[in-house]
């Protein structure tokens, strides 16, 4: 018998001894050319990157490519929101398979998948919006082949139409789901959830979320391009942002602790330290949304507007590394 656990989120965990909060304002370099000039470039102008997809309903096509994750063996999982499915590709952009975003235990209902993550056992976690009511959504655990795990379906409430996000915290072996102004944290191997609401006080809307190799959580906010940093207990440590045109969407932490953030308004992906200090622009790419890193340091970026996915090789992403490791 399947189990669906519903929760709105609540603040919990051990009491933190940290009480102070700092704010960092990252200084980004000026843009060398205008957005109009950048938008006129061909997305395939660089022969070293791979771009695939396009608008459509057939295999390999998308109706809004949102979140993305990469497995240890270089399979790319893309949340194909409008088509209500997850598609899987190789690291050279070849279509491999797809599976529908079925919500088990809810009369075969499907959802609009918004984000995807892969846990330490290589299970695929998908966060999506309810097919008929976007104020509610689900988190569902699937096998690599797309078979839903019946006892691992969780309901997300009070999303107010904001798409949910999901990430895996490898340090603490937890799955983290952002739903509107709440962060929900639960174990990937038990059919129960412990919700943590940390955003309801000021109604910050979670766009994407990630964790670093210390177990801290980094959240991009839907408004003002802010990034909020929390410890494992949900206590906010600090925040950072840029007063210019930074609008962070997808976020990921590499193995060195740096943050890589999709800067959608400036058509680029930027790197920061885990203290919010700007390091450099990693790549220029049109309308970046979801991002993921492959095991060899490849950067995978979705483009929500043009329904495409771009893969950048490791030497473009980490030019100072010669062995391809992150």
């Amino acid at each position: 018998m399947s189990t669906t656990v519903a929760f709105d989120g609540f603040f919990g965990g051990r009491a933190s001894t940290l009480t102070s909060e700092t704010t960092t304002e990252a200084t980004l370099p000026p843009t060398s050319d205008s957005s109009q000039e950048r938008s006129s470039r061909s997305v395939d102008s660089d022969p070293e990157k791979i771009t695939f997809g396009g608008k459509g309903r057939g295999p390999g096509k998308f109706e809004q490519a949102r979140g993305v994750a990469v497995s240890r063996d270089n399979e790319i999982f893309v949340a194909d929101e409008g088509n209500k499915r997850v598609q899987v590709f190789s690291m050279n952009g070849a279509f491999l398979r797809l599976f529908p975003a079925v919500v088990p235990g809810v009369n075969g209902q499907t959802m609009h998948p918004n984000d995807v993550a892969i846990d330490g056992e290589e299970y695929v976690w998908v966060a999506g919006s309810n097919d008929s009511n976007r104020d509610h959504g689900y988190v569902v655990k699937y096998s690599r082949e797309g078979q839903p795990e019946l006892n691992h379906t969780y309901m997300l409430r009070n999303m107010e139409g904001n798409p949910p996000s999901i990430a895996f915290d490898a340090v603490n072996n937890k799955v983290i789901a952002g739903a509107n102004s709440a962060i929900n944290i639960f174990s990937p191997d038990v059919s129960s959830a412990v919700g943590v609401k940390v955003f309801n006080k000021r109604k910050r809307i979670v766009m994407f979320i990630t964790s670093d190799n210390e177990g801290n959580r980094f959240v991009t906010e839907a408004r003002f391009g802010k990034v909020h940093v929390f410890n494992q207990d949900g206590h906010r440590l600090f925040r950072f942002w840029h007063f210019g045109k930074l609008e962070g969407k997808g976020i990921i932490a590499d193995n060195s602790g740096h943050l890589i953030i999709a800067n959608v308004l400036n058509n680029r992906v930027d790197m920061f330290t885990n203290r919010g200090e700007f390091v450099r622009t990693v790549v220029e790419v049109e309308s970046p949304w979801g991002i993921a890193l492959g095991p060899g340091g490849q950067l995978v970026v979705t483009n929500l507007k043009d329904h495409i996915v771009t893969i950048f090789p490791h030497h473009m992403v980490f030019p100072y590394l010669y062995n391809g490791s992150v």
Side-chain angles (χ1 to χ4, degrees), residues 9-86:
F10 58 90
F11 186 80
R14 297 170 305 209
S16 173
T17 58
L18 297 176
T19 58
S20 62
E21 177 184 300
T22 61
T23 299
T24 302
E25 299 166 14
T27 302
L28 296 182
T31 308
S32 59
D33 53 3
S34 68
S35 298
Q36 183 176 1
E37 289 172 336
R38 277 194 303 275
S39 64
S40 66
R41 299 174 184 168
S42 167
V43 343
D44 296 315
S45 60
D46 193 325
E48 294 190 281
K49 67 184 181 184
I50 298 170
T51 299
F52 60 91
K55 185 177 176 62
R57 297 189 176 277
K61 299 295 184 180
F62 301 104
E63 289 284 345
Q64 295 191 326
R66 280 189 176 268
V68 61
V70 182
S71 68
R72 287 195 293 261
D73 58 354
N74 285 308
E75 287 192 339
I76 301 170
F77 292 75
V78 182
D80 185 3
E81 182 194 17
N83 288 320
K84 296 188 287 187
R85 65 193 183 188
V86 174

Side-chain angles (χ1 to χ4, degrees), residues 29-290:
T31 308
S32 59
D33 53 3
S34 68
S35 298
Q36 183 176 1
E37 289 172 336
R38 277 194 303 275
S39 64
S40 66
R41 299 174 184 168
S42 167
V43 343
D44 296 315
S45 60
D46 193 325
E48 294 190 281
K49 67 184 181 184
I50 298 170
T51 299
F52 60 91
K55 185 177 176 62
R57 297 189 176 277
K61 299 295 184 180
F62 301 104
E63 289 284 345
Q64 295 191 326
R66 280 189 176 268
V68 61
V70 182
S71 68
R72 287 195 293 261
D73 58 354
N74 285 308
E75 287 192 339
I76 301 170
F77 292 75
V78 182
D80 185 3
E81 182 194 17
N83 288 320
K84 296 188 287 187
R85 65 193 183 188
V86 174
Q87 298 201 65
V88 189
F89 300 84
S90 70
M91 193 53 77
N92 63 11
F95 171 78
L96 299 177
R97 62 188 181 276
L98 60 81
F99 58 88
V102 173
V103 182
V106 194
N107 297 322
Q109 180 176 318
T110 56
M111 63 178 171
H112 293 272
N114 302 118
D115 200 9
V116 59
I118 300 175
D119 69 19
E121 299 297 323
E122 293 287 280
Y123 283 97
V124 181
W125 292 80
V126 179
S129 304
N130 188 294
D131 194 13
S132 57
N133 182 357
R134 294 300 182 96
D135 288 342
H136 302 312
Y138 302 96
V139 169
V140 181
K141 178 181 179 181
Y142 299 89
S143 70
R144 288 275 299 275
E145 300 301 319
Q147 181 66 35
E149 297 289 309
L150 297 181
N151 292 321
H152 291 83
T153 299
Y154 308 105
M155 183 177 289
L156 303 172
R157 297 189 184 276
N158 302 325
M159 296 195 307
E160 299 181 11
N162 295 295
S165 60
I166 196 163
F168 178 65
D169 176 2
V171 172
N172 298 293
N173 191 35
K174 300 293 183 183
V175 175
I176 314 170
N180 192 36
S181 56
I183 293 180
N184 305 286
I185 302 174
F186 46 93
S187 173
D189 52 4
V190 296
S191 56
S192 63
V194 177
V196 180
K197 180 198 297 184
V198 295
F199 283 164
N200 274 0
K201 182 177 180 180
R202 298 182 184 177
K203 293 290 183 182
R204 305 180 187 94
I205 308 303
V206 179
M207 285 301 300
F208 282 94
I209 187 167
T210 192
S211 65
D212 65 7
N213 50 17
E214 297 178 357
N216 294 319
R217 286 81 188 256
F218 300 81
V219 176
T220 56
E221 186 181 347
R223 305 185 183 97
F224 312 120
K226 295 178 184 177
V227 179
H228 300 270
V229 185
F230 297 84
N231 66 12
Q232 300 175 24
D233 299 322
H235 179 83
R236 192 172 77 166
L237 304 177
F238 63 96
R239 64 184 177 184
F240 65 92
W241 74 94
H242 169 60
F243 284 111
K245 294 174 63 178
L246 175 66
E247 178 70 13
K249 296 300 181 185
I251 184 170
I252 192 75
D254 68 17
N255 287 346
S256 67
H258 287 94
L259 301 172
I260 300 175
I261 304 175
N263 187 333
V264 64
L265 293 186
N266 280 324
N267 295 301
R268 66 194 190 196
V269 176
D270 293 326
M271 179 182 288
F272 295 80
T273 69
N274 60 6
R275 296 298 303 175
E277 301 156 330
F278 177 79
V279 177
R280 63 185 176 88
T281 291
V282 178
V283 295
E284 291 191 3
V285 57
E286 295 292 328
S287 303
W289 195 265

